[in-house]
Amino acid sequence: MTDALDVAVRLLLVFVAFLVLPLVVGQTEHKVMAHMQGRLGPMYAGGFHGWAQLVADGVKFAQKEDVVPKDADRRVFQLAPAVALLPYLLVLVAIPVAPGSVGAVVDAGVFFALAVMGVGVLGSLMAGWASANKFSLLGGLRTAAQLLAYELPMLLAAASVAMAAGTVSLTGVLDAFEWWWVPWQIVGALVFFVAGLAELQRPPFDMPVADSEIIFGAYTEYTGLRFALFLLAEYAGIVVLCALTTVLFLGGWHGPWGDDDLGWLWTLLKTAVLAFVVIWLRVSYPRLREDQLQKLAWTTLVPLALAQIALTGIVKVAIS
């Protein structure tokens, strides 16, 4: 296989995964919430187990009128959903699924992934500013404030793993991985995962898009397929967050029996379990207030992340 064809095949596989996996997470969320909360609606469409619910949602969004507010900045308003969605596609390209199976090897993959994920907030800011709606603008500003608060502990937690592995390459982290890292880095894993949920504005960290308090935040004026793209960005973010947590803290393609031939399966299974945890948290915990969001980040997650880095430094010195 020529180099050009190999790159084309890898990018095609990444693109297919980007289109399919977020939809699978969305469909799973419908079913899990239906069982946990006794919802009948998501179990009805199409008959058996509500298999057509996702199709019905897609048709619903496609049929809705595409409305742009009269006073909105039309170009920015229309571009915002793409800015919110595309960063997750770029990150997915750099996530290793199995030995030799990665869209593109990035030497500084850890920081590349975190930096590009942070760009997604621009989509919310653009949507809030361009909508010519004070509630949308307020929602966009809340999103930015939340990102600034949770980006630091997320970066510090990832830095702890990079210190342990001696590299900032995602594939390098997996090459250096040892199973005894899991209990050693468990605090960093929790900080990284919780901060990632907050960056995605997933419950219980969804105050910036609280429909009962701020009319769905920056997305108030969006309808139809553009609104659907924001939802798709959320589910794509879940896939990326769970995959990154798997790679950095749970050994990625490494299975319990040391057989890397099924590495892709282990990566998908670990990612799926974490995605289920994301859904479970949405059903189980109430929404945090804005002050509680900020307090959790600055008084709990940041100190824990710093303590994890200190512990990593001590262990590295002890074993060297």
Side-chain angles (χ1 to χ4, degrees):
M1 184 181 294
T2 64
D3 291 341
L5 181 58
D6 179 63
V7 171
V9 170
R10 289 171 183 263
L11 294 180
L12 178 61
L13 291 175
V14 170
F15 187 68
V16 170
F18 181 73
L19 293 179
V20 173
L21 292 180
L23 298 181
V24 172
V25 173
Q27 179 77 342
T28 303
E29 183 171 65
H30 276 120
K31 306 313 167 189
V32 171
M33 292 180 66
H35 283 292
M36 296 183 73
Q37 296 182 327
R39 296 185 177 189
L40 297 179
M43 307 298 287
Y44 178 79
F48 176 72
H49 215 69
W51 65 268
Q53 181 64 51
L54 193 65
V55 177
D57 286 342
V59 172
K60 174 187 70 176
F61 284 123
Q63 287 181 334
K64 286 187 175 181
E65 183 180 2
D66 180 19
V67 177
V68 178
K70 178 182 177 181
D71 295 328
D73 187 323
R74 179 175 293 270
R75 182 171 298 177
V76 176
F77 184 89
Q78 294 173 339
L79 185 61
V83 175
L85 180 61
L86 288 180
Y88 297 114
L89 173 60
L90 296 178
V91 175
L92 201 61
V93 169
I95 295 179
V97 178
S101 297
V102 57
V105 178
V106 180
D107 292 337
V110 175
F111 296 116
F112 169 81
L114 296 179
V116 174
M117 285 179 66
V119 173
V121 71
L122 293 178
S124 297
L125 284 173
M126 291 168 63
W129 180 83
S131 293
N133 181 314
K134 61 182 179 181
F135 296 107
S136 297
L137 179 59
L138 181 58
L141 293 176
R142 282 187 173 183
T143 298
Q146 187 162 313
L147 174 74
L148 291 174
Y150 283 90
E151 186 76 13
L152 179 59
M154 193 175 186
L155 180 62
L156 292 174
S160 173
V161 178
M163 285 176 58
T167 177
V168 291
S169 166
L170 291 173
T171 53
V173 169
L174 289 175
D175 290 337
F177 176 79
E178 301 288 347
W179 280 109
W180 62 272
W181 286 13
V182 175
W184 171 31
Q185 297 289 336
I186 189 64
V187 172
L190 291 174
V191 170
F192 186 88
F193 192 68
V194 171
L197 288 178
E199 285 202 4
L200 295 176
Q201 302 171 87
R202 287 287 302 182
F205 306 101
D206 60 337
M207 174 57 70
V209 293
D211 53 339
S212 60
E213 300 179 33
I214 197 171
I215 326 175
F216 219 75
Y219 318 130
T220 300
E221 302 292 351
Y222 282 86
T223 60
L225 290 178
R226 287 198 177 90
F227 181 76
L229 288 177
F230 279 116
L231 293 181
L232 183 61
E234 177 182 332
Y235 290 114
I238 293 174
V239 173
V240 169
L241 170 65
C242 295
L244 278 177
T245 306
T246 294
V247 169
L248 292 174
F249 299 97
L250 299 180
W253 65 59
H254 295 290
W257 299 290
D259 184 8
D260 291 343
D261 291 337
L262 295 177
W264 62 272
L265 181 59
W266 289 116
T267 301
L268 290 179
L269 283 176
K270 295 172 186 177
T271 301
V273 170
L274 290 177
F276 174 82
V277 172
V278 173
I279 298 170
W280 171 72
L281 288 173
R282 173 177 180 175
V283 178
S284 303
Y285 286 90
R287 177 181 298 131
L288 297 178
R289 297 194 313 264
E290 190 68 24
D291 62 310
Q292 293 173 326
L293 281 171
Q294 297 295 328
K295 184 177 180 180
L296 176 65
W298 295 109
T299 66
T300 302
L301 296 187
V302 170
L304 285 176
L306 290 173
Q308 178 67 73
I309 287 182
L311 176 61
T312 301
I314 293 171
V315 173
K316 288 287 287 183
V317 170
I319 64 177
S320 63

